[in-house]
Amino acid sequence: MIRFLDLHSINARQQGAILAAITRVLDSGQYLQGNELAQFEIAFGRYCGASHCVGVGSGLDALSLTLQAWIQLGLVQPGDEVIVPGNTFIATILAITHSALRPVLVDPDPATHNLGVEGISGAISGRTRVILPVHLYGRMADMDAIMTLSRKHDLLVLEDAAQAHGAKINGRMAGNWGHAAAFSFYPAKNLGSLGDAGAVTTSDASLADMVRLLGNYGAREKYKSSVSGCNSRMDEIQAAVLREKLQSLDDETAHRRKIARIYGESITLPGLKLPEQIASHAWHLYVVQCRDRDRLRADLDSAGIETMIHYPVPPHLQEVYADSDLANTGLAVTEQLSNEVMSLPIGSHLDDGDVHRVCRVLNSLAT
Ligand SMILES: *Cc1c(COP(=O)(O)O)cnc(C)c1O
């Protein structure tokens, strides 16, 4: 059986360091807002090239708290529009609707599966305040062009970098392009904790300060709340584990790139569209496209190869938005992708032999 993902095997390779990190926290007696979080924030901010990093409870919270912080700072008004790709994980959209903002869903560029500047330009209205590109699958959106467009229209840019730890364009990391970026450290992400965790990176000190305030009951000092906040903090155990795992992130990414290269060079099945091999990609997912996706998936499953679909139902067709305007958005590319994409196994739980086996099995199937 070749598993899509094997978190136990991935974390077992660093078991000693992880156990030492957890013991360090246990012994410290400080389980929230201590030195581990402070050190991780410095290290991850530096890794991304952003001057501030704020640890929060999850990737969803990183997105929501950034939008809410901009509202608190008066840069965004409730009811303003946020331009966002239609083909993303539901959390990206929930963050917008939870923040009393209006998502304007845009079909992605079919070649990159990411938001393109043409799509964004066509969606800009008098109420647009934010562009929220998602670096889907670990492939960065065209940030240079998006930032140029944002300057022209005086818009804020929030990167959803939940899948893109370590991705970079021209040496500039994901998380250091927009006015802010949201990361998730959900266990299955490229940099994963042992539970829920997330972070906001930004070079705007007042935004970082407001995100931290909102995630801590709106209180800068204990028992003195100045804004209507919530409780969303990265705990010391997650921070300590992430500090250890950050040190091997580049090796993990290199391993993913190698797997992607093998897939790219060895898969020859006609009718199967492979992702473009580009240097900036962090390969959170290796996503292929095929008209006969469901049958191919079943054949792979019979051959002992596990695959996944990211994502089978796009946000605008989810029940949660059935009664909203979103349900009526026609998103032909997004809907086609949800029927045709399939993610092959990728990650450090696989060796070259496993990857070549996936290629051999795929090449032996007919579409
Ligand atoms: C995982 C993910 C999120 C949400 O992160 P959580 O930590 O699970 O809340 C948001 N956006 C994208 C694109 C994701 O993949």
mmCIF file of all heavy atoms in Angstrom, residues 101-152:
data_model
loop_
_atom_site.group_PDB
_atom_site.id
_atom_site.type_symbol
_atom_site.label_atom_id
_atom_site.label_comp_id
_atom_site.label_asym_id
_atom_site.label_seq_id
_atom_site.Cartn_x
_atom_site.Cartn_y
_atom_site.Cartn_z
ATOM 1 N N LEU A 101 -17.335 40.351 5.602
ATOM 2 C CA LEU A 101 -16.912 40.864 4.298
ATOM 3 C C LEU A 101 -17.534 39.988 3.209
ATOM 4 O O LEU A 101 -18.034 38.897 3.484
ATOM 5 C CB LEU A 101 -15.381 40.839 4.211
ATOM 6 C CG LEU A 101 -14.689 41.735 5.245
ATOM 7 C CD1 LEU A 101 -13.187 41.469 5.269
ATOM 8 C CD2 LEU A 101 -14.975 43.201 4.959
ATOM 9 N N ARG A 102 -17.506 40.504 1.974
ATOM 10 C CA ARG A 102 -18.156 39.778 0.875
ATOM 11 C C ARG A 102 -17.127 39.121 -0.031
ATOM 12 O O ARG A 102 -16.339 39.819 -0.670
ATOM 13 C CB ARG A 102 -19.003 40.750 0.036
ATOM 14 C CG ARG A 102 -20.249 41.226 0.758
ATOM 15 C CD ARG A 102 -21.238 41.804 -0.255
ATOM 16 N NE ARG A 102 -21.393 40.918 -1.403
ATOM 17 C CZ ARG A 102 -21.645 41.328 -2.646
ATOM 18 N NH1 ARG A 102 -21.756 42.601 -2.915
ATOM 19 N NH2 ARG A 102 -21.783 40.456 -3.611
ATOM 20 N N PRO A 103 -17.132 37.777 -0.111
ATOM 21 C CA PRO A 103 -16.215 37.125 -1.041
ATOM 22 C C PRO A 103 -16.692 37.315 -2.480
ATOM 23 O O PRO A 103 -17.883 37.155 -2.765
ATOM 24 C CB PRO A 103 -16.290 35.644 -0.658
ATOM 25 C CG PRO A 103 -17.437 35.493 0.273
ATOM 26 C CD PRO A 103 -17.971 36.844 0.631
ATOM 27 N N VAL A 104 -15.787 37.699 -3.365
ATOM 28 C CA VAL A 104 -16.094 37.748 -4.792
ATOM 29 C C VAL A 104 -15.253 36.645 -5.424
ATOM 30 O O VAL A 104 -14.027 36.754 -5.533
ATOM 31 C CB VAL A 104 -15.754 39.124 -5.389
ATOM 32 C CG1 VAL A 104 -15.973 39.124 -6.892
ATOM 33 C CG2 VAL A 104 -16.615 40.202 -4.728
ATOM 34 N N LEU A 105 -15.945 35.560 -5.766
ATOM 35 C CA LEU A 105 -15.236 34.372 -6.233
ATOM 36 C C LEU A 105 -14.880 34.504 -7.705
ATOM 37 O O LEU A 105 -15.719 34.880 -8.526
ATOM 38 C CB LEU A 105 -16.111 33.128 -6.034
ATOM 39 C CG LEU A 105 -16.608 32.879 -4.614
ATOM 40 C CD1 LEU A 105 -17.443 31.609 -4.567
ATOM 41 C CD2 LEU A 105 -15.438 32.755 -3.659
ATOM 42 N N VAL A 106 -13.639 34.166 -8.024
ATOM 43 C CA VAL A 106 -13.149 34.296 -9.389
ATOM 44 C C VAL A 106 -12.598 32.949 -9.835
ATOM 45 O O VAL A 106 -11.920 32.260 -9.060
ATOM 46 C CB VAL A 106 -12.044 35.379 -9.449
ATOM 47 C CG1 VAL A 106 -11.394 35.423 -10.813
ATOM 48 C CG2 VAL A 106 -12.623 36.739 -9.087
ATOM 49 N N ASP A 107 -12.915 32.572 -11.078
ATOM 50 C CA ASP A 107 -12.346 31.340 -11.624
ATOM 51 C C ASP A 107 -10.833 31.476 -11.754
ATOM 52 O O ASP A 107 -10.333 32.543 -12.106
ATOM 53 C CB ASP A 107 -12.942 31.072 -13.024
ATOM 54 C CG ASP A 107 -13.918 29.907 -13.022
ATOM 55 O OD1 ASP A 107 -13.907 29.109 -12.062
ATOM 56 O OD2 ASP A 107 -14.682 29.795 -13.998
ATOM 57 N N PRO A 108 -10.087 30.387 -11.498
ATOM 58 C CA PRO A 108 -8.635 30.466 -11.630
ATOM 59 C C PRO A 108 -8.214 30.390 -13.097
ATOM 60 O O PRO A 108 -9.016 30.028 -13.959
ATOM 61 C CB PRO A 108 -8.166 29.223 -10.892
ATOM 62 C CG PRO A 108 -9.262 28.229 -11.132
ATOM 63 C CD PRO A 108 -10.534 29.039 -11.098
ATOM 64 N N ASP A 109 -6.955 30.726 -13.335
ATOM 65 C CA ASP A 109 -6.342 30.481 -14.629
ATOM 66 C C ASP A 109 -6.236 28.952 -14.786
ATOM 67 O O ASP A 109 -5.627 28.291 -13.940
ATOM 68 C CB ASP A 109 -4.944 31.139 -14.594
ATOM 69 C CG ASP A 109 -4.153 30.886 -15.859
ATOM 70 O OD1 ASP A 109 -4.466 29.938 -16.600
ATOM 71 O OD2 ASP A 109 -3.197 31.649 -16.093
ATOM 72 N N PRO A 110 -6.828 28.374 -15.842
ATOM 73 C CA PRO A 110 -6.831 26.913 -15.948
ATOM 74 C C PRO A 110 -5.422 26.319 -16.054
ATOM 75 O O PRO A 110 -5.211 25.154 -15.705
ATOM 76 C CB PRO A 110 -7.626 26.630 -17.233
ATOM 77 C CG PRO A 110 -8.070 27.932 -17.779
ATOM 78 C CD PRO A 110 -7.539 29.043 -16.928
ATOM 79 N N ALA A 111 -4.446 27.107 -16.484
ATOM 80 C CA ALA A 111 -3.086 26.579 -16.631
ATOM 81 C C ALA A 111 -2.381 26.459 -15.282
ATOM 82 O O ALA A 111 -1.589 25.545 -15.062
ATOM 83 C CB ALA A 111 -2.276 27.477 -17.560
ATOM 84 N N THR A 112 -2.672 27.364 -14.351
ATOM 85 C CA THR A 112 -1.943 27.372 -13.079
ATOM 86 C C THR A 112 -2.812 26.968 -11.889
ATOM 87 O O THR A 112 -2.306 26.691 -10.811
ATOM 88 C CB THR A 112 -1.396 28.789 -12.781
ATOM 89 O OG1 THR A 112 -2.517 29.665 -12.573
ATOM 90 C CG2 THR A 112 -0.550 29.316 -13.937
ATOM 91 N N HIS A 113 -4.118 26.940 -12.079
ATOM 92 C CA HIS A 113 -5.098 26.696 -11.013
ATOM 93 C C HIS A 113 -5.084 27.825 -9.974
ATOM 94 O O HIS A 113 -5.667 27.698 -8.912
ATOM 95 C CB HIS A 113 -4.877 25.342 -10.309
ATOM 96 C CG HIS A 113 -5.032 24.161 -11.219
ATOM 97 N ND1 HIS A 113 -5.100 22.860 -10.752
ATOM 98 C CD2 HIS A 113 -5.128 24.066 -12.563
ATOM 99 C CE1 HIS A 113 -5.214 22.029 -11.776
ATOM 100 N NE2 HIS A 113 -5.233 22.742 -12.880
ATOM 101 N N ASN A 114 -4.387 28.907 -10.262
ATOM 102 C CA ASN A 114 -4.301 30.039 -9.342
ATOM 103 C C ASN A 114 -5.009 31.258 -9.919
ATOM 104 O O ASN A 114 -5.184 31.375 -11.136
ATOM 105 C CB ASN A 114 -2.830 30.410 -9.101
ATOM 106 C CG ASN A 114 -2.212 29.633 -7.951
ATOM 107 O OD1 ASN A 114 -2.916 29.168 -7.053
ATOM 108 N ND2 ASN A 114 -0.909 29.479 -7.979
ATOM 109 N N LEU A 115 -5.334 32.185 -9.013
ATOM 110 C CA LEU A 115 -5.921 33.466 -9.405
ATOM 111 C C LEU A 115 -4.960 34.196 -10.347
ATOM 112 O O LEU A 115 -3.785 34.337 -10.044
ATOM 113 C CB LEU A 115 -6.082 34.275 -8.121
ATOM 114 C CG LEU A 115 -7.107 35.379 -8.006
ATOM 115 C CD1 LEU A 115 -8.482 34.901 -8.398
ATOM 116 C CD2 LEU A 115 -7.117 35.882 -6.558
ATOM 117 N N GLY A 116 -5.479 34.641 -11.500
ATOM 118 C CA GLY A 116 -4.635 35.397 -12.426
ATOM 119 C C GLY A 116 -5.059 36.859 -12.445
ATOM 120 O O GLY A 116 -6.169 37.202 -12.040
ATOM 121 N N VAL A 117 -4.181 37.742 -12.940
ATOM 122 C CA VAL A 117 -4.505 39.170 -12.895
ATOM 123 C C VAL A 117 -5.706 39.531 -13.761
ATOM 124 O O VAL A 117 -6.443 40.454 -13.428
ATOM 125 C CB VAL A 117 -3.307 40.082 -13.286
ATOM 126 C CG1 VAL A 117 -2.378 40.248 -12.123
ATOM 127 C CG2 VAL A 117 -2.597 39.575 -14.495
ATOM 128 N N GLU A 118 -5.901 38.792 -14.852
ATOM 129 C CA GLU A 118 -7.068 39.106 -15.690
ATOM 130 C C GLU A 118 -8.356 38.874 -14.921
ATOM 131 O O GLU A 118 -9.270 39.703 -14.938
ATOM 132 C CB GLU A 118 -7.076 38.237 -16.949
ATOM 133 C CG GLU A 118 -6.342 38.872 -18.098
ATOM 134 C CD GLU A 118 -6.292 37.962 -19.307
ATOM 135 O OE1 GLU A 118 -7.284 37.239 -19.566
ATOM 136 O OE2 GLU A 118 -5.255 37.973 -19.973
ATOM 137 N N GLY A 119 -8.434 37.738 -14.263
ATOM 138 C CA GLY A 119 -9.619 37.409 -13.462
ATOM 139 C C GLY A 119 -9.835 38.446 -12.374
ATOM 140 O O GLY A 119 -10.968 38.881 -12.122
ATOM 141 N N ILE A 120 -8.753 38.846 -11.731
ATOM 142 C CA ILE A 120 -8.877 39.832 -10.647
ATOM 143 C C ILE A 120 -9.372 41.167 -11.218
ATOM 144 O O ILE A 120 -10.324 41.759 -10.694
ATOM 145 C CB ILE A 120 -7.519 40.049 -9.940
ATOM 146 C CG1 ILE A 120 -7.022 38.740 -9.315
ATOM 147 C CG2 ILE A 120 -7.641 41.134 -8.867
ATOM 148 C CD1 ILE A 120 -5.597 38.805 -8.784
ATOM 149 N N SER A 121 -8.735 41.609 -12.305
ATOM 150 C CA SER A 121 -9.098 42.900 -12.895
ATOM 151 C C SER A 121 -10.584 42.957 -13.219
ATOM 152 O O SER A 121 -11.258 43.963 -12.960
ATOM 153 C CB SER A 121 -8.311 43.153 -14.173
ATOM 154 O OG SER A 121 -6.947 43.190 -13.894
ATOM 155 N N GLY A 122 -11.097 41.850 -13.776
ATOM 156 C CA GLY A 122 -12.503 41.793 -14.163
ATOM 157 C C GLY A 122 -13.450 41.834 -12.977
ATOM 158 O O GLY A 122 -14.641 42.100 -13.137
ATOM 159 N N ALA A 123 -12.935 41.553 -11.779
ATOM 160 C CA ALA A 123 -13.808 41.459 -10.602
ATOM 161 C C ALA A 123 -13.724 42.702 -9.716
ATOM 162 O O ALA A 123 -14.459 42.816 -8.738
ATOM 163 C CB ALA A 123 -13.439 40.218 -9.789
ATOM 164 N N ILE A 124 -12.829 43.615 -10.038
ATOM 165 C CA ILE A 124 -12.671 44.808 -9.190
ATOM 166 C C ILE A 124 -13.873 45.735 -9.334
ATOM 167 O O ILE A 124 -14.300 46.046 -10.443
ATOM 168 C CB ILE A 124 -11.359 45.556 -9.539
ATOM 169 C CG1 ILE A 124 -10.152 44.708 -9.129
ATOM 170 C CG2 ILE A 124 -11.300 46.918 -8.830
ATOM 171 C CD1 ILE A 124 -8.805 45.298 -9.512
ATOM 172 N N SER A 125 -14.431 46.136 -8.186
ATOM 173 C CA SER A 125 -15.562 47.069 -8.187
ATOM 174 C C SER A 125 -15.242 48.214 -7.221
ATOM 175 O O SER A 125 -14.160 48.227 -6.615
ATOM 176 C CB SER A 125 -16.839 46.366 -7.708
ATOM 177 O OG SER A 125 -16.830 46.294 -6.292
ATOM 178 N N GLY A 126 -16.194 49.118 -7.064
ATOM 179 C CA GLY A 126 -16.001 50.241 -6.135
ATOM 180 C C GLY A 126 -15.889 49.800 -4.688
ATOM 181 O O GLY A 126 -15.373 50.530 -3.849
ATOM 182 N N ARG A 127 -16.380 48.577 -4.372
ATOM 183 C CA ARG A 127 -16.314 48.095 -2.980
ATOM 184 C C ARG A 127 -15.129 47.172 -2.714
ATOM 185 O O ARG A 127 -14.944 46.685 -1.603
ATOM 186 C CB ARG A 127 -17.603 47.320 -2.626
ATOM 187 C CG ARG A 127 -18.828 48.138 -2.234
ATOM 188 C CD ARG A 127 -18.619 49.271 -1.253
ATOM 189 N NE ARG A 127 -18.303 48.935 0.147
ATOM 190 C CZ ARG A 127 -19.199 48.721 1.094
ATOM 191 N NH1 ARG A 127 -20.484 48.754 0.831
ATOM 192 N NH2 ARG A 127 -18.826 48.463 2.347
ATOM 193 N N THR A 128 -14.333 46.889 -3.745
ATOM 194 C CA THR A 128 -13.204 45.973 -3.535
ATOM 195 C C THR A 128 -12.172 46.616 -2.616
ATOM 196 O O THR A 128 -11.777 47.763 -2.826
ATOM 197 C CB THR A 128 -12.517 45.631 -4.872
ATOM 198 O OG1 THR A 128 -13.501 45.200 -5.804
ATOM 199 C CG2 THR A 128 -11.470 44.548 -4.685
ATOM 200 N N ARG A 129 -11.737 45.868 -1.597
ATOM 201 C CA ARG A 129 -10.681 46.389 -0.706
ATOM 202 C C ARG A 129 -9.491 45.448 -0.580
ATOM 203 O O ARG A 129 -8.392 45.862 -0.228
ATOM 204 C CB ARG A 129 -11.250 46.663 0.699
ATOM 205 C CG ARG A 129 -11.971 47.979 0.832
ATOM 206 C CD ARG A 129 -11.121 49.177 0.390
ATOM 207 N NE ARG A 129 -9.979 49.408 1.265
ATOM 208 C CZ ARG A 129 -8.750 49.744 0.847
ATOM 209 N NH1 ARG A 129 -8.497 49.862 -0.438
ATOM 210 N NH2 ARG A 129 -7.786 49.940 1.709
ATOM 211 N N VAL A 130 -9.764 44.143 -0.808
ATOM 212 C CA VAL A 130 -8.711 43.152 -0.552
ATOM 213 C C VAL A 130 -8.652 42.151 -1.706
ATOM 214 O O VAL A 130 -9.686 41.757 -2.247
ATOM 215 C CB VAL A 130 -8.995 42.379 0.769
ATOM 216 C CG1 VAL A 130 -7.921 41.332 1.036
ATOM 217 C CG2 VAL A 130 -9.127 43.328 1.960
ATOM 218 N N ILE A 131 -7.416 41.769 -2.075
ATOM 219 C CA ILE A 131 -7.218 40.615 -2.957
ATOM 220 C C ILE A 131 -6.632 39.507 -2.086
ATOM 221 O O ILE A 131 -5.690 39.743 -1.320
ATOM 222 C CB ILE A 131 -6.230 40.929 -4.110
ATOM 223 C CG1 ILE A 131 -6.661 42.184 -4.875
ATOM 224 C CG2 ILE A 131 -6.122 39.741 -5.056
ATOM 225 C CD1 ILE A 131 -5.626 42.627 -5.928
ATOM 226 N N LEU A 132 -7.237 38.328 -2.185
ATOM 227 C CA LEU A 132 -6.792 37.209 -1.345
ATOM 228 C C LEU A 132 -6.359 36.037 -2.239
ATOM 229 O O LEU A 132 -7.118 35.095 -2.438
ATOM 230 C CB LEU A 132 -7.936 36.804 -0.389
ATOM 231 C CG LEU A 132 -7.576 36.152 0.945
ATOM 232 C CD1 LEU A 132 -8.804 35.947 1.819
ATOM 233 C CD2 LEU A 132 -6.787 34.892 0.834
ATOM 234 N N PRO A 133 -5.143 36.088 -2.781
ATOM 235 C CA PRO A 133 -4.684 34.978 -3.613
ATOM 236 C C PRO A 133 -4.307 33.781 -2.735
ATOM 237 O O PRO A 133 -3.821 33.957 -1.611
ATOM 238 C CB PRO A 133 -3.444 35.534 -4.319
ATOM 239 C CG PRO A 133 -2.970 36.658 -3.476
ATOM 240 C CD PRO A 133 -4.131 37.163 -2.673
ATOM 241 N N VAL A 134 -4.554 32.592 -3.235
ATOM 242 C CA VAL A 134 -4.191 31.357 -2.525
ATOM 243 C C VAL A 134 -3.056 30.707 -3.312
ATOM 244 O O VAL A 134 -3.176 30.533 -4.528
ATOM 245 C CB VAL A 134 -5.402 30.395 -2.480
ATOM 246 C CG1 VAL A 134 -5.027 29.098 -1.774
ATOM 247 C CG2 VAL A 134 -6.591 31.063 -1.793
ATOM 248 N N HIS A 135 -1.964 30.387 -2.632
ATOM 249 C CA HIS A 135 -0.864 29.687 -3.327
ATOM 250 C C HIS A 135 -1.219 28.200 -3.351
ATOM 251 O O HIS A 135 -0.672 27.400 -2.588
ATOM 252 C CB HIS A 135 0.461 29.913 -2.605
ATOM 253 C CG HIS A 135 0.824 31.356 -2.432
ATOM 254 N ND1 HIS A 135 0.704 32.276 -3.444
ATOM 255 C CD2 HIS A 135 1.321 32.037 -1.365
ATOM 256 C CE1 HIS A 135 1.119 33.465 -3.001
ATOM 257 N NE2 HIS A 135 1.477 33.343 -1.748
ATOM 258 N N LEU A 136 -2.158 27.866 -4.235
ATOM 259 C CA LEU A 136 -2.762 26.545 -4.181
ATOM 260 C C LEU A 136 -1.776 25.436 -4.544
ATOM 261 O O LEU A 136 -1.037 25.549 -5.512
ATOM 262 C CB LEU A 136 -3.969 26.504 -5.131
ATOM 263 C CG LEU A 136 -4.956 25.377 -4.858
ATOM 264 C CD1 LEU A 136 -5.689 25.559 -3.537
ATOM 265 C CD2 LEU A 136 -5.964 25.252 -5.996
ATOM 266 N N TYR A 137 -1.812 24.394 -3.757
ATOM 267 C CA TYR A 137 -0.952 23.201 -3.898
ATOM 268 C C TYR A 137 0.520 23.506 -3.609
ATOM 269 O O TYR A 137 1.379 22.658 -3.792
ATOM 270 C CB TYR A 137 -1.043 22.567 -5.301
ATOM 271 C CG TYR A 137 -2.433 22.383 -5.856
ATOM 272 C CD1 TYR A 137 -2.683 22.511 -7.226
ATOM 273 C CD2 TYR A 137 -3.499 22.046 -5.028
ATOM 274 C CE1 TYR A 137 -3.947 22.329 -7.754
ATOM 275 C CE2 TYR A 137 -4.764 21.868 -5.547
ATOM 276 C CZ TYR A 137 -4.987 22.017 -6.906
ATOM 277 O OH TYR A 137 -6.250 21.837 -7.423
ATOM 278 N N GLY A 138 0.832 24.753 -3.204
ATOM 279 C CA GLY A 138 2.233 25.133 -2.984
ATOM 280 C C GLY A 138 2.817 25.897 -4.151
ATOM 281 O O GLY A 138 3.972 26.305 -4.109
ATOM 282 N N ARG A 139 2.012 26.103 -5.185
ATOM 283 C CA ARG A 139 2.452 26.919 -6.321
ATOM 284 C C ARG A 139 2.048 28.370 -6.065
ATOM 285 O O ARG A 139 0.865 28.667 -5.871
ATOM 286 C CB ARG A 139 1.793 26.425 -7.609
ATOM 287 C CG ARG A 139 2.185 27.303 -8.781
ATOM 288 C CD ARG A 139 1.540 26.899 -10.091
ATOM 289 N NE ARG A 139 1.984 27.842 -11.112
ATOM 290 C CZ ARG A 139 2.256 27.530 -12.366
ATOM 291 N NH1 ARG A 139 2.104 26.294 -12.790
ATOM 292 N NH2 ARG A 139 2.666 28.445 -13.207
ATOM 293 N N MET A 140 3.004 29.269 -6.096
ATOM 294 C CA MET A 140 2.674 30.658 -5.789
ATOM 295 C C MET A 140 1.896 31.317 -6.905
ATOM 296 O O MET A 140 2.141 31.087 -8.087
ATOM 297 C CB MET A 140 3.943 31.447 -5.498
ATOM 298 C CG MET A 140 4.519 31.085 -4.132
ATOM 299 S SD MET A 140 5.944 32.072 -3.741
ATOM 300 C CE MET A 140 5.174 33.670 -3.507
ATOM 301 N N ALA A 141 0.945 32.143 -6.497
ATOM 302 C CA ALA A 141 0.229 32.975 -7.466
ATOM 303 C C ALA A 141 1.232 33.978 -8.045
ATOM 304 O O ALA A 141 2.319 34.152 -7.505
ATOM 305 C CB ALA A 141 -0.920 33.694 -6.769
ATOM 306 N N ASP A 142 0.847 34.619 -9.122
ATOM 307 C CA ASP A 142 1.741 35.564 -9.803
ATOM 308 C C ASP A 142 1.814 36.859 -8.987
ATOM 309 O O ASP A 142 1.183 37.864 -9.305
ATOM 310 C CB ASP A 142 1.183 35.823 -11.214
ATOM 311 C CG ASP A 142 2.117 36.682 -12.047
ATOM 312 O OD1 ASP A 142 3.165 37.106 -11.513
ATOM 313 O OD2 ASP A 142 1.792 36.927 -13.225
ATOM 314 N N MET A 143 2.600 36.811 -7.905
ATOM 315 C CA MET A 143 2.555 37.891 -6.908
ATOM 316 C C MET A 143 3.070 39.223 -7.422
ATOM 317 O O MET A 143 2.593 40.279 -7.007
ATOM 318 C CB MET A 143 3.306 37.472 -5.644
ATOM 319 C CG MET A 143 2.619 36.374 -4.847
ATOM 320 S SD MET A 143 0.869 36.698 -4.504
ATOM 321 C CE MET A 143 0.962 38.128 -3.422
ATOM 322 N N ASP A 144 4.051 39.166 -8.309
ATOM 323 C CA ASP A 144 4.588 40.411 -8.850
ATOM 324 C C ASP A 144 3.465 41.205 -9.529
ATOM 325 O O ASP A 144 3.250 42.387 -9.245
ATOM 326 C CB ASP A 144 5.667 40.065 -9.888
ATOM 327 C CG ASP A 144 6.909 40.897 -9.689
ATOM 328 O OD1 ASP A 144 6.825 41.911 -8.980
ATOM 329 O OD2 ASP A 144 7.955 40.533 -10.262
ATOM 330 N N ALA A 145 2.735 40.523 -10.396
ATOM 331 C CA ALA A 145 1.656 41.177 -11.140
ATOM 332 C C ALA A 145 0.504 41.560 -10.202
ATOM 333 O O ALA A 145 -0.101 42.625 -10.346
ATOM 334 C CB ALA A 145 1.157 40.242 -12.238
ATOM 335 N N ILE A 146 0.228 40.712 -9.225
ATOM 336 C CA ILE A 146 -0.871 41.004 -8.297
ATOM 337 C C ILE A 146 -0.537 42.236 -7.450
ATOM 338 O O ILE A 146 -1.384 43.105 -7.227
ATOM 339 C CB ILE A 146 -1.188 39.771 -7.404
ATOM 340 C CG1 ILE A 146 -1.828 38.667 -8.268
ATOM 341 C CG2 ILE A 146 -2.098 40.151 -6.238
ATOM 342 C CD1 ILE A 146 -2.086 37.360 -7.536
ATOM 343 N N MET A 147 0.716 42.351 -7.019
ATOM 344 C CA MET A 147 1.095 43.522 -6.201
ATOM 345 C C MET A 147 1.049 44.800 -7.044
ATOM 346 O O MET A 147 0.625 45.855 -6.549
ATOM 347 C CB MET A 147 2.488 43.328 -5.581
ATOM 348 C CG MET A 147 2.578 42.202 -4.547
ATOM 349 S SD MET A 147 1.233 42.119 -3.342
ATOM 350 C CE MET A 147 1.494 43.643 -2.422
ATOM 351 N N THR A 148 1.456 44.692 -8.311
ATOM 352 C CA THR A 148 1.387 45.862 -9.191
ATOM 353 C C THR A 148 -0.066 46.319 -9.345
ATOM 354 O O THR A 148 -0.389 47.502 -9.223
ATOM 355 C CB THR A 148 1.991 45.516 -10.573
ATOM 356 O OG1 THR A 148 3.327 45.071 -10.366
ATOM 357 C CG2 THR A 148 1.995 46.713 -11.502
ATOM 358 N N LEU A 149 -0.945 45.335 -9.577
ATOM 359 C CA LEU A 149 -2.373 45.645 -9.727
ATOM 360 C C LEU A 149 -2.935 46.259 -8.437
ATOM 361 O O LEU A 149 -3.735 47.204 -8.472
ATOM 362 C CB LEU A 149 -3.125 44.350 -10.071
ATOM 363 C CG LEU A 149 -4.585 44.480 -10.467
ATOM 364 C CD1 LEU A 149 -4.697 45.151 -11.830
ATOM 365 C CD2 LEU A 149 -5.243 43.096 -10.533
ATOM 366 N N SER A 150 -2.498 45.715 -7.302
ATOM 367 C CA SER A 150 -3.025 46.210 -6.014
ATOM 368 C C SER A 150 -2.609 47.662 -5.786
ATOM 369 O O SER A 150 -3.374 48.446 -5.216
ATOM 370 C CB SER A 150 -2.536 45.332 -4.860
ATOM 371 O OG SER A 150 -1.182 45.600 -4.555
ATOM 372 N N ARG A 151 -1.399 48.007 -6.221
ATOM 373 C CA ARG A 151 -0.947 49.400 -6.052
ATOM 374 C C ARG A 151 -1.772 50.335 -6.929
ATOM 375 O O ARG A 151 -2.165 51.418 -6.512
ATOM 376 C CB ARG A 151 0.548 49.514 -6.384
ATOM 377 C CG ARG A 151 1.449 49.076 -5.225
ATOM 378 C CD ARG A 151 2.915 49.391 -5.488
ATOM 379 N NE ARG A 151 3.481 48.549 -6.525
ATOM 380 C CZ ARG A 151 4.005 47.340 -6.310
ATOM 381 N NH1 ARG A 151 4.043 46.838 -5.084
ATOM 382 N NH2 ARG A 151 4.497 46.633 -7.295
ATOM 383 N N LYS A 152 -2.059 49.847 -8.140
ATOM 384 C CA LYS A 152 -2.825 50.670 -9.076
ATOM 385 C C LYS A 152 -4.214 50.989 -8.510
ATOM 386 O O LYS A 152 -4.727 52.105 -8.666
ATOM 387 C CB LYS A 152 -2.937 49.913 -10.404
ATOM 388 C CG LYS A 152 -3.473 50.737 -11.550
ATOM 389 C CD LYS A 152 -3.301 50.002 -12.879
ATOM 390 C CE LYS A 152 -4.494 50.270 -13.775
ATOM 391 N NZ LYS A 152 -4.723 49.190 -14.734
#
